[in-house]
Amino acid sequence: MAKAQTKAELRAKTGEVKIFGLLQKLGQTFMLPISLLPVAGILLGIGSSFTNPTVIEMYNLQNILHEGNLLYGVLRIFADAGDIIFGNLGLLFGISVASGLAKTEKGVASLSGIIGYFVMYAAMTSTLNNFRNVEELSKVQGLITNYLGFDNTMNLGVLGGIVIGLVVAYLHNKYYTIELPEALSFFGGTHFIPIVSSVAGLVLGIMWAFVWPIVSYGFSSLGGIISGLGIFGIFLYVFIYRALIPFGLHHVFYLPFWQTAIGGTAVVNGKTIVGAQNIVFAQLAAGVPIDPHAAAHFTYMFPVMLFGIPAAAIALYRAARPERKAEVKGFYTSSALTCFMTGITEPIEFAFVFASPFMYYLVHCVLYGISGILVYVLGAGVGLTFSGGIIDFILYGVLPGNHITKWIPVLILGLVYFVLYFIIFSWGVRKFDWKVPGREDVTEEVAVEFADASYDELDEKAQRAYRIVAGLGGSNNLNDVTNCATRLRVQVKDGSLVNEALLKQTGSAAVVVNGQNVQVVYGTTVPNVKSSIDQLIASGNAPTEGVVANGHAADTTEVVEEKVELQTETGKLVEIYAPATGKVIDIAKVNDPVFGGKIMGEGFAVQPTNGKVVSPVDAEVVMIMDSKHAVGLKTADGLELLIHMGIETVQLNGGGFELFVQEGDQLKAGDAVAQMDLDYILNEGKQTDVIVALTNTPDMVNRTIIEDEKSVEAGSSIGQVDIKA
C-alpha cells in the first residue's frame, strides 16, 4: 500500500507541471497535418522521381516519359498535388492548431484560423513594403520571398501557422459565448470569433514585419551553430528527438528543424529553401544530390527502424518464457512489421523503455545518435515524409537513384545494426531480466467482474472499450480523450484512479501516467480504439467509475454507501447537498468558459426552478461579493467553495438578489443563503445557473462524486467530494 501511495504522490506532483499537458495537447494538434505528409510525399516522390530528367535519362525512359505524353502528364499532376501540401503547411498547421485546441464549435475556430492567417500575411506584407527597407532585408538569405499570392513578403513557415492557431484558439475559448449590447448582439457569440481573429492577425502581421527578420537571423545563426558543431550537433539533435518519444513531446522538438531555417538553408534551382525536409524534397524534385547535412535529420532512422528494432523484437521474443511465447508472438511480430513497413516504433520501444530506462536512453538513443553521425559521414541522403519505414526508403532512396541519395551505404549500415541490436538485446534481456512482454513475473490475473448487467450484452469490441474506460477511472474521471498515431492520449481528473494492469490486459503495450495526463500505447490500431470509446460513451453504456482493488467494477451507488463512514484510502468524503431546486449538471456543461473550462476548479451546477439558494455544506461564510451574486464558503476541513448565482450576473450590480448571510456566519447544510429573482435575471438576458465551484481543487480535491442530470430538491444530498487528508 505504501508503494501505491508513493506512486500517487509522484503523479500528483508531476501533474502540477501543466506545461507537459499543454505541450502534449499541442503535439496532438500537429498530427492532422502531419498525417497528410505520407500521401503528399508519395504523390510528390513518385511524380517528381519519374518526371525528373536525370531519372528518365538514367533508366532510358525517354520513349514513354516526355512532355506531352499522357503518363508524363499524370505524373506531373501527382507531383504538383503533393507539392501544394508541402508548400502550404503553415496554413494547414494554423487551421489544425486552432481547431484542435478549441473546446467546442471547432468549425468556427477553423474558419477563424484561416481568416487570421490571411490577414496576418496581408498586414505583414503591407508593413514590409511601406515601413521596412525590403532591399536591405533581402540581403538575409531566404528572408524575402513570394508566398501565398503575396509578393515581397516573408514565409513564416509552420511557426507562423502555429502562433496564429494558438492565438485564435485562446480567443475562441475565451469569447465564443461573449454577449454584446443589444444593438451589437448579432456580432456576439461565435460571430465574434472571426472578427477578433482578424484583429489578432492584423496585430501579429505588423509585429512579424519587425520581429521575424530578427528571428530569421537567429534561426539561421542557430542552424549555423549546429552545423558548426558538425557530427556532435547531429548526434545531439537525434538523441534529444528519440529521448522525447516516451513523453510524446518529440513533435514539438523536431518540427522547427524540419520546417524552419534551424534545419538549414539552401538554394535549389535559384530558389531559397529553408527547413531540412523542404530542402531534401526540393533537391529530389530538382534531381540533384541530396545535402547529407539536411538529410541527416531523417536518414538516421532507416538503419534502426528497418533493421535494428526488428532485430530487437526477435531477440526479446526468443528470450520470452517458453510458456508465454505463443501469447507474445503476435505482439512482437506485429510490432516488428509495423516498424519495418511504416517506421512507427512506439509499440516495441514502450515494451522496454520502462523495463530498462538505462537501455533505452543510454544504449538505444545513443545508437540512434551514432546512426545520425554515420549516415552523415557516408554522405547518405534518404528523405522521408513521416517515419523511416521501407515505403519511404524505396520512394525517396532507391527510386531516385544511388547517385542522388546514396541509399546503398544506408542498407549496409542497416545490416550492421541488425547484428548489433540482436546481440545487445539478447544479452541485456537475460543479464538484467527485463520485464518485457513474455518475461513478466508470473502472477495470477485478477478476473474483473462488472456489476453493470449491460456489459454482457456488449459485443467484443465494445467490451474492450468498456474495460479501457474502467481502467482510466471511469467516464466520470475523463476530461478529454484524443489520440495520435500510436497512443491514446487522455486527460483525467485524477491520475491515481488509473488502473495500469487492467489497461495492459486490453492489449496496451505500455501506459504512461504523468499527473492528469495519461498515454496508453496501442500502436497503429489506436484510431479504432478511440472510436470504440467514443461510441461506448455516447451510447451511455460506459462505466462511470473505475475498477477497485478487489477486481470488481465500482458502482457509484455502492461506493457511496460503502464510504458513508467518510473515510477513503486517499482522504475523506464530504457530503454535498443541493444548493437549489432543479436539475444538477456537471460544471463542464456550464455555458461559461471560466466555470465550464474548470478554471475555477471542479464542481457542479443546478439549473433552478425557483429562486431559493441554500448552503451545500456545513461551512463559514468567508466572502460576499458587493454585487451579491457570489458567496464564498470554507468548511472546517479547509475545502473552499464558491456559490455563483447566475452567469455574467455581476453586471446586474446586485439587482435580482437578496442575501440572508454575512461574512463570518456559520452555516449548516440547507441553511438559506439567498433568494434569486429568476424572472428579473432572465429578463436582463442572463442565465440563472447556481454554480458551486471547488476553488482550491488542486490542493484539496481528489475527485467529485456527484450524480449528473438529476432532478433535486434544495437541501437534499446529491453526492460527495473526496478531499485530501
Side-chain angles (χ1 to χ4, degrees):
M1 183 61 67
K3 183 177 180 180
Q5 289 174 346
T6 301
K7 193 172 185 179
E9 290 168 3
L10 287 173
R11 288 175 178 173
K13 187 176 180 179
T14 55
E16 293 172 3
V17 186
K18 295 186 177 181
I19 189 66
F20 182 94
L22 293 174
L23 288 176
Q24 175 175 300
K25 200 166 186 65
L26 180 62
Q28 294 166 20
T29 68
F30 293 168
M31 290 310 299
L32 186 58
I34 286 174
S35 68
L36 280 172
L37 298 186
V39 175
I42 289 172
L43 291 172
L44 182 60
I46 293 176
S48 297
S49 294
F50 288 105
T51 57
N52 187 287
T54 304
V55 174
I56 293 173
E57 183 178 352
M58 182 173 61
Y59 292 105
N60 296 316
L61 301 175
Q62 295 89 340
N63 292 331
I64 60 173
L65 287 174
H66 55 81
E67 289 189 20
N69 174 271
L70 176 62
L71 180 58
Y72 183 92
V74 171
L75 290 170
R76 282 310 312 166
I77 292 174
F78 285 1
D80 292 340
D83 183 61
I84 198 68
I85 300 296
F86 283 96
N88 292 281
L89 278 179
L91 174 60
L92 298 178
F93 270 84
I95 298 170
S96 185
V97 171
S99 173
L101 295 182
K103 295 177 180 177
T104 186
E105 300 288 353
K106 293 180 180 291
V108 174
S110 298
L111 177 61
S112 301
I114 296 171
I115 293 171
Y117 189 82
F118 276 97
V119 171
M120 178 178 72
Y121 265 92
M124 179 178 67
T125 305
S126 183
T127 303
L128 284 173
N129 287 280
N130 286 288
F131 295 98
R132 300 302 307 272
N133 187 333
V134 175
E135 184 177 348
E136 186 67 24
L137 292 174
S138 298
K139 294 179 181 179
V140 179
Q141 188 180 33
L143 180 60
I144 301 300
T145 185
N146 299 330
Y147 176 70
L148 209 66
F150 296 102
D151 296 331
N152 291 328
T153 189
M154 300 182 295
N155 187 345
L156 304 176
V158 296
L159 181 62
I162 292 171
V163 170
I164 190 66
L166 287 169
V167 171
V168 169
Y170 170 79
L171 294 172
H172 177 276
N173 291 333
K174 186 175 179 65
Y175 295 115
Y176 76 94
T177 58
I178 191 173
E179 296 181 8
L180 299 178
E182 187 172 351
L184 301 173
S185 60
F186 174 79
F187 301 104
T190 55
H191 291 181
F192 183 72
I193 306 307
I195 298 172
V196 72
S197 296
S198 63
V199 174
L202 176 67
V203 174
L204 281 173
I206 296 172
M207 180 202 73
W208 283 127
F210 294 94
V211 172
W212 188 249
I214 301 172
V215 174
S216 182
Y217 179 78
F219 276 2
S220 298
S221 300
L222 180 58
I225 292 173
I226 294 177
S227 299
L229 292 175
I231 58 176
F232 178 73
I234 295 170
F235 176 87
L236 196 61
Y237 161 80
V238 175
F239 181 87
I240 294 173
Y241 181 172
R242 304 316 300 184
L244 290 175
I245 291 284
F247 303 100
L249 303 179
H250 52 294
H251 301 302
V252 179
F253 173 73
Y254 74 71
L255 207 60
F257 287 89
W258 286 25
Q259 297 295 329
T260 74
I262 291 180
T265 302
V267 177
V268 182
N269 280 350
K271 184 177 180 181
T272 300
I273 309 295
V274 297
Q277 189 176 54
N278 298 325
I279 291 171
V280 169
F281 276 91
Q283 291 173 335
L284 277 174
V288 298
I290 304 302
D291 174 13
H293 184 269
H297 294 86
F298 324 103
T299 310
Y300 75 90
M301 297 185 192
F302 292 106
V304 182
M305 294 178 181
L306 294 183
F307 298 94
I309 290 179
I314 295 172
L316 295 179
Y317 168 71
R318 285 169 54 87
R321 303 183 192 278
E323 68 274 14
R324 298 287 309 281
K325 281 192 173 182
E327 178 186 341
V328 299
K329 182 178 181 180
F331 167 75
Y332 284 118
T333 302
S334 62
S335 296
L337 285 175
T338 297
C339 183
F340 182 80
M341 294 299 296
T342 67
I344 292 174
T345 62
E346 280 90 340
I348 190 66
E349 285 180 329
F350 272 84
F352 69 86
V353 63
F354 301 108
S356 177
F358 172 85
M359 178 59 71
Y360 183 85
Y361 288 104
L362 296 185
V363 177
H364 182 56
C365 290
V366 168
L367 285 173
Y368 258 120
I370 293 172
S371 176
I373 293 173
L374 292 176
V375 296
Y376 173 68
V377 170
L378 292 171
V382 183
L384 53 80
T385 57
F386 178 68
S387 202
I390 189 64
I391 297 173
D392 283 52
F393 186 74
I394 292 173
L395 283 176
Y396 312 119
V398 178
L399 289 181
N402 187 63
H403 67 292
I404 289 178
T405 64
K406 293 189 178 179
W407 61 270
I408 293 178
V410 178
L411 199 63
I412 296 172
L413 180 61
L415 295 173
V416 174
Y417 261 61
F418 183 93
V419 175
L420 194 60
Y421 264 76
F422 183 80
I423 293 174
I424 290 175
F425 276 75
S426 295
W427 169 79
V429 70
R430 291 180 172 87
K431 174 69 175 178
F432 302 104
D433 192 24
W434 300 338
K435 302 305 179 184
V436 295
R439 290 185 62 86
E440 305 97 327
D441 292 329
V442 179
T443 57
E444 183 180 351
E445 186 173 298
V446 178
V448 180
E449 300 175 9
F450 293 104
D452 190 349
S454 64
Y455 174 79
D456 295 330
E457 300 174 3
L458 300 174
D459 60 28
E460 184 177 350
K461 188 193 318 185
Q463 284 186 349
R464 183 194 187 198
Y466 190 106
R467 296 167 76 85
I468 293 171
V469 174
L472 291 167
S475 59
N476 286 347
N477 195 42
L478 303 180
N479 278 333
D480 187 40
V481 181
T482 59
N483 68 276
C484 63
T486 58
R487 315 173 199 194
L488 202 63
R489 295 174 180 252
V490 186
Q491 287 188 337
V492 297
K493 298 174 183 176
D494 185 353
S496 67
L497 299 180
V498 175
N499 188 322
E500 297 183 23
L502 179 58
L503 289 172
K504 288 183 179 179
Q505 290 178 23
T506 65
S508 166
V511 180
V512 182
V513 182
N514 191 318
Q516 294 177 313
N517 301 290
V518 183
Q519 298 183 25
V520 191
V521 181
Y522 286 105
T524 54
T525 63
V526 73
N528 294 333
V529 175
K530 165 69 163 49
S531 297
S532 297
I533 292 172
D534 289 342
Q535 292 170 8
L536 182 73
I537 294 175
S539 70
N541 291 322
T544 56
E545 302 294 328
V547 173
V548 295
N550 63 6
H552 290 75
D555 177 77
T556 304
T557 305
E558 293 176 355
V559 170
V560 172
E561 308 245 311
E562 271 179 12
K563 297 181 180 178
V564 129
E565 300 175 358
L566 302 183
Q567 291 297 325
T568 70
E569 290 186 358
T570 55
K572 176 181 179 181
L573 287 177
V574 175
E575 196 76 17
I576 301 294
Y577 299 84
T581 298
K583 185 172 74 172
V584 177
I585 62 171
D586 187 88
I587 198 168
K589 298 179 181 178
V590 172
N591 187 23
D592 179 85
V594 174
F595 288 106
K598 300 187 179 181
I599 295 174
M600 297 294 293
E602 292 288 345
F604 62 93
V606 174
Q607 296 174 333
T609 55
N610 66 54
K612 180 183 178 182
V613 179
V614 303
S615 176
V617 291
D618 297 347
E620 177 186 356
V621 179
V622 295
M623 184 276 296
I624 296 177
M625 290 288 292
D626 293 339
S627 52
K628 302 180 182 180
H629 76 291
V631 176
L633 305 177
K634 185 175 183 178
T635 69
D637 296 307
L639 180 64
E640 297 174 1
L641 304 90
L642 176 68
I643 304 176
H644 194 282
M645 293 168 279
I647 298 175
E648 299 293 342
T649 46
V650 65
Q651 299 173 4
L652 301 180
N653 296 317
F657 299 101
E658 181 183 5
L659 292 182
F660 306 130
V661 296
Q662 297 178 351
E663 289 186 10
D665 285 356
Q666 297 291 332
L667 302 179
K668 293 291 186 181
D671 286 353
V673 172
Q675 183 71 31
M676 299 171 63
D677 187 339
L678 300 184
D679 291 336
Y680 173 82
I681 295 171
L682 290 171
N683 288 336
E684 290 296 318
K686 308 301 181 185
Q687 299 181 52
T688 59
D689 295 16
V690 178
I691 305 164
V692 177
L694 311 177
T695 54
N696 60 345
T697 289
D699 298 325
M700 286 294 297
V701 179
N702 289 320
R703 59 172 175 161
T704 59
I705 311 172
I706 306 294
E707 193 166 349
D708 192 19
E709 299 288 341
K710 177 183 178 182
S711 295
V712 297
E713 293 289 330
S716 63
S717 176
I718 58 172
Q720 294 83 24
V721 174
D722 185 356
I723 65 172
K724 299 175 183 178

